[in-house]
Amino acid sequence: TQLLEQSPQFLSIQEGENLTVYCNSSSVFSSLQWYRQEPGEGPVLLVTVVTGGEVKKLKRLTFQFGDARKDSSLHITAAQPGDTGLYLCAGEGNSGYALNFGKGTSLLVTP
Amino acid sequence: GAVVSQHPSRVICKSGTSVKIECRSLDFQATTMFWYRQFPKQSLMLMATSNEGSKATYEQGVEKDKFLINHASLTLSTLTVTSAHPEDSSFYICSARPPGLDSPLHFGNGTRLTVT
């Protein structure tokens, strides 16, 4: 099983602050996905990164895939209370295109 | 866009009873669907891979006789939790991938199971 380690596990910040979430593995992934999940709902795909060194931007969110395709980061600029949620990184596992998930980063942004 | 629908969204049952959860792909056919379980404040753990027309593949530590999976058609997979116990209380989420190279995995909205 290809393990994904996420850090930090919990993050509580004030509106307007910046933050970075890390996703690391000892394995090489063909792609990594970032999801956001709100309580009581399924995860929603934010982005897929495929190419080593790739940087993708989604409004105030910046996603980076490491050159060796073993790690990824999510940076949020000027966080808003609406950014509150569980952020999950995921990579393809061994079970026929299922995804293995990191443990997630629970983000709380207070006004 | 691709939609995966789960039903019911919440279910409460008594210990010892069985509960069936349905997962449907609404606008695409899925030969494979995936079932995940998520305990409070934890990540999603893959339970099993549901294969249309053949047996499901279970992850290590998941009892196949307790979590029965039936992939009856190209748009429907069901998970039945048999003889449920309070420790089976969890958030169950299904997912499926539309056809096409590099298509992303889409998730249902989950089923909150509470066993009393």
Side-chain angles (χ1 to χ4, degrees):
Chain A
T1 302
Q2 296 168 298
L3 296 177
L4 288 162
E5 299 289 337
Q6 264 185 262
S7 62
Q9 192 174 353
F10 299 99
L11 194 54
S12 180
I13 61 173
Q14 288 194 313
E15 182 176 2
E17 291 185 34
N18 302 331
L19 66 116
T20 302
V21 176
Y22 299 93
C23 175
N24 297 293
S25 175
S26 58
S27 302
V28 174
F29 288 92
S30 57
S31 66
L32 277 180
Q33 288 80 40
W34 283 93
Y35 288 82
R36 179 167 168 265
Q37 185 184 23
E38 299 203 28
E41 298 183 10
V44 175
L45 180 67
L46 295 174
V47 79
T48 299
V49 285
V50 178
T51 307
E54 180 178 12
V55 176
K56 281 190 173 179
K57 290 195 174 186
L58 186 65
K59 296 183 180 178
R60 292 177 293 100
L61 278 60
T62 302
F63 304 86
Q64 187 163 6
F65 200 13
D67 291 340
R69 290 185 289 128
K70 293 182 179 181
D71 54 87
S72 181
S73 65
L74 157 62
H75 182 79
I76 301 179
T77 303
Q80 304 293 313
D83 295 328
T84 293
L86 180 66
Y87 289 83
L88 297 155
C89 69
E92 280 191 10
N94 301 322
S95 302
Y97 304 109
L99 290 178
N100 287 333
F101 284 84
K103 288 189 175 181
T105 295
S106 181
L107 172 64
L108 173 64
V109 183
T110 54
Chain B
V3 177
V4 174
S5 175
Q6 243 181 281
H7 179 81
S9 57
R10 291 177 178 270
V11 59
I12 301 173
C13 70
K14 291 187 176 181
S15 188
T17 61
S18 296
V19 173
K20 181 185 284 189
I21 302 170
E22 292 186 350
C23 179
R24 294 179 185 275
S25 56
L26 295 187
D27 54 359
F28 65 95
Q29 293 183 331
T31 55
T32 304
M33 291 185 177
F34 305 100
W35 287 95
Y36 289 83
R37 179 169 52 185
Q38 185 177 32
F39 291 105
K41 299 191 186 301
Q42 294 188 24
S43 188
L44 285 75
M45 296 299 294
L46 180 66
M47 297 177 65
T49 301
S50 173
N51 303 300
E52 191 270 335
S54 64
K55 291 182 179 179
T57 305
Y58 290 82
E59 295 299 300
Q60 192 172 6
V62 178
E63 299 176 57
K64 62 179 181 181
D65 295 328
K66 181 168 184 61
F67 298 99
L68 300 179
I69 290 174
N70 181 21
H71 201 133
S73 73
L74 287 170
T75 58
L76 173 64
S77 175
T78 60
L79 168 67
T80 301
V81 183
T82 63
S83 186
H85 290 283
E87 56 266 30
D88 298 324
S89 298
S90 187
F91 193 51
Y92 293 85
I93 311 174
C94 71
S95 64
R97 191 187 302 271
L101 192 64
D102 296 330
S103 64
L105 207 55
H106 292 266
F107 287 84
N109 270 334
T111 298
R112 171 71 61 193
L113 170 64
T114 303
V115 184
T116 61

